[in-house]
Amino acid sequence: AQSVTQPDIHITVSEGASLELRCNYSYGATPYLFWYVQSPGQGLQLLLKYFSGDTLVQGIKGFEAEFKRSQSSFNLRKPSVHWSDAAEYFCAVGPTGGGNKLTFGTGTQLKVEL
Amino acid sequence: GAVVSQHPSRVICKSGTSVKIECRSLDFQATTMFWYRQFPKQSLMLMATSNEGSKATYEQGVEKDKFLINHASLTLSTLTVTSAHPEDSSFYICSARDIAGGTSAGELFFGEGSRLTVL
């Protein structure tokens, strides 16, 4: 069975500082990996996704993530955080062939200090 | 990107009543839509897969008679919470994938969610 672990429940960073959110997955085959962001009371917005090819994926809002098969990780990074980045971030894994049945991690709540 | 819209965004109802939540894909067609439930401070749990023109597929532990799903067209799926009770209070989110694929292939588009409160 597929699973996703986001070990950090809460992270606080200062505005302008760099950010890395961790995500580890368990999946029997080559996974499709996603990062979503959720603002309070809102749905999810896709930040980026990895299907194949270049293991460093660029997303929206200046985010990037790197797929490391050897570590079963797909960590999300941003070089300089903005106050508007404060939100809940979810890592998700889906089966090869499409994101139909996604399994989500428990999320990481990001707080940005001004 | 493609837009998925949910209505209502917030609903409060009395215990024992039924509530219908709509999920629409505004600028694309979706043969399959997905309904998730999110408890406070927790992740999303897939409840069911809504299939256009056929019965929905429910995840283990989800009561199909409690959560009625109808997918009458390629742009609309509805979730009806029947005989709602306070424990059904939650944030319900739908998602859909564009059947046309292209650059969005494999990407799920999420609605903005519906907050249900049962008194």
Side-chain angles (χ1 to χ4, degrees), chain A residues 38 43 46 51 98-99 101 104-105, chain B residues 38 43 59 105-108 111-112:
Chain A
Q38 183 182 34
L46 179 68
F51 287 168
K101 226 172 182 180
F104 287 84
Chain B
Q38 185 180 30
S43 187
E59 295 300 301
E107 177 178 346
L108 281 179
E112 56 274 79

Side-chain angles (χ1 to χ4, degrees), chain A residues 31 95 103:
Chain A
T103 298

Side-chain angles (χ1 to χ4, degrees), chain A residues 70-98:
Chain A
S70 61
Q71 299 177 20
S72 297
S73 69
F74 188 58
N75 294 348
L76 182 71
R77 300 193 294 249
K78 186 169 185 178
S80 179
V81 171
H82 188 262
W83 63 267
S84 60
D85 293 324
E88 186 92 22
Y89 291 80
F90 291 97
C91 181
V93 62
T96 305

